[in-house]
Amino acid sequence: AQKLDLVFQHIRNVPDFPIEGIVFKDICPILKEPKALAAVMDLFEEHVRQNHPHTELIVGLEARGFLFGPLLAQRLGIGFVLVREKGKLPGPTMSVEYTLEYATAEVEIQVDAVDPGQKVLVIDDLLATGGTLCAACELMKKQKAQVLGCLVVIELKDLRGAEKLPVPVFSLLQC
Ligand code: 5GP
């Protein structure tokens, strides 16, 4: 509870970002305070060791999944791979398109990033509508990986993103 409090205290609500009417959850203060970042990593590590001890790979989403994912992978002694926006990764890639409110986006991964059957966890900073994590899970399915679950620091419960996902989501904080 103390660790969760520390994490909670280092999330900043930014009104009207990126557009009017949205209250953005800014996780930058967590990264600026080593004790808060350590608390995030402790809580994630504990969860994975208890619930998914056979995880082989952490898959992180651009951009803020890249901040937490490699640290967690290091703690677990496993690898980290990147899911990026289309057009950023070199070499043979595969991608999945998904719909945003008024447009479409595409996430991409290198084809040799994950082996068939590999057990993976997908990590990002925040779950909103679930579109992004859902696309990443689809990408994993295309690569024949076994997705054990998703990890996020913050889950915006009202948007019911978890219901859209094919696997359980573990969130440190629910807002
Ligand atoms: P979703 O696809 O679930 O609707 O949106 C989640 C994605 O948008 C995540 O990659 C997350 O980084 C970003 N995102 C959306 N809203 C916020 C927010 O309030 N704070 C942060 N830190 N990220 C957000």
Side-chain angles (χ1 to χ4, degrees), residues 114-171:
V114 183
D115 295 332
Q118 241 179 346
K119 297 182 178 69
V120 307
L121 286 169
V122 184
I123 189 167
D124 203 355
D125 63 331
L126 181 138
L127 171 67
T129 66
T132 312
L133 273 175
C134 211
C137 288
E138 229 177 283
L139 207 47
M140 287 302 107
K141 197 172 156 192
K142 261 181 138 175
Q143 292 214 319
K144 299 186 169 57
Q146 189 184 339
V147 184
L148 303 176
C150 295
L151 309 172
V152 293
V153 180
I154 307 159
E155 178 179 355
L156 304 182
K157 274 274 179 194
D158 289 351
L159 295 177
R160 297 169 163 239
E163 292 173 17
K164 204 187 278 182
L165 299 177
V167 292
V169 186
F170 174 72
S171 52

Side-chain angles (χ1 to χ4, degrees), residues 41-53:
M41 299 324 301
D42 287 349
L43 293 163
F44 276 149
E45 184 183 355
E46 196 182 328
H47 169 79
V48 176
R49 287 195 187 281
Q50 275 177 16
N51 298 279
H52 307 291

Side-chain angles (χ1 to χ4, degrees), residues 67-78:
L67 302 172
F68 302 106
L71 290 176
L72 179 60
Q74 275 285 300
R75 280 193 173 209
L76 297 165
I78 60 180

